[in-house]
Amino acid sequence: MITIALSKGRIFEETLPLLAAAGIVPSEAPESSRKLIIGTNRDDVRLIIVRATDVPTYVQYGAADLGVAGKDVLLEHGGAGVYQPLDLEIAKCSLMVAVQQGFDYLGAVQQGARLRVATKYTDCAREHFAGKGVHIDLIKLYGSMELAPLVGLADCIVDLVSTGGTLKANNLVAVEHVRDISSRLIVNQAALKLKHDQLQPIIDTFAATVAARHHS
Ligand code: ATP
Ligand code: MG
């Protein structure tokens, strides 16, 4: 049995065409089904639906052989026990620093002010500001980071941005690019050896499908 860990939403939706290319079709959609284990047209392949941040953990411990996880999630997880053989180039966005409209971010940085930074991405944020020589107080949040500057919890946030619509709706502006983010295929290291003959064709098909997109 091959178990593939996915999260609901954009990652599931954008992984579907890759699975289809490998001849794998889920028997249910996670949005409509409440099942956490979803069968496929192939008796030897099943999907498990977990929180995006939990995907690397399931793969690390071998509860799933394969998974799809955002680079943001992998950076915070640390990547122990998992191979990251392939950038799937899906769920693309950027990790950005954002502030409330009117907050003089560049001025604050130039004056050497200590910044209060609210984020779910504490490791990435710490590294980013250390690299700039900016002193920060980190405030760990688990969601809705956009709210923090609006109510005085933080001077800025470090969050994922794609269209910028959520920032704009909350009177925030992106002021600095931290890094580009996309989702990666991850593989349990032991499974890649023990189930090589089953896993490698799936990995190869995903790779070929991603590569083919560059030429279309
Ligand atoms: P939850 O929404 O359940 O709290 P989450 O926010 O971690 O969890 P998603 O919103 O589904 O989960 O995001 C999953 C992954 O998709 C993220 O880890 C990231 O890599 C990517 N992602 C998140 N936000 C965006 C975005 N605005 N545009 C593109 N990709 C994104
Ligand atoms: Mg979300």
Side-chain angles (χ1 to χ4, degrees), residues 10 51-52 120-121 143 160:
R10 53 171 69 85
R51 271 304 272 275
K120 164 160 115 174
Y121 305 103
L160 299 176

Side-chain angles (χ1 to χ4, degrees), residues 45-113:
V45 181
R46 65 179 182 177
L47 310 179
I48 60 172
I49 306 301
V50 303
R51 271 304 272 275
T53 41
D54 292 334
V55 168
T57 306
Y58 279 85
V59 176
Q60 172 185 5
Y61 290 102
D65 304 300
L66 301 175
V68 176
K71 189 66 187 176
D72 52 317
V73 165
L74 289 165
L75 287 167
E76 294 297 320
H77 171 269
V82 307
Y83 291 124
Q84 301 181 31
L86 191 57
D87 183 349
L88 299 173
E89 298 176 31
I90 60 172
K92 284 188 185 178
C93 53
S94 299
L95 196 61
M96 308 275 290
V97 180
V99 300
Q100 190 166 14
Q101 196 85 242
F103 179 82
D104 183 11
Y105 176 74
L106 283 182
V109 167
Q110 275 163 12
Q111 284 164 30

Side-chain angles (χ1 to χ4, degrees), residues 21 29 43 48 52 61 71 74 78 80 84 104 107 119-120 132 141 145 162 171 175 180 183 198 212:
D43 286 342
I48 60 172
Y61 290 102
K71 189 66 187 176
L74 289 165
Q84 301 181 31
D104 183 11
T119 187
K120 164 160 115 174
K132 289 168 55 76
L141 291 178
M145 268 87 83
S162 50
N171 200 33
V175 288
D180 288 327
S183 287
Q198 289 167 285

Side-chain angles (χ1 to χ4, degrees), residues 133-161:
V134 172
H135 293 284
I136 59 167
D137 291 315
L138 270 176
I139 300 169
K140 168 83 181 184
L141 291 178
Y142 292 88
S144 302
M145 268 87 83
E146 297 85 1
L147 182 61
L150 306 180
V151 294
L153 178 62
D155 303 309
C156 58
I157 62 173
V158 172
D159 197 6
L160 299 176
V161 180

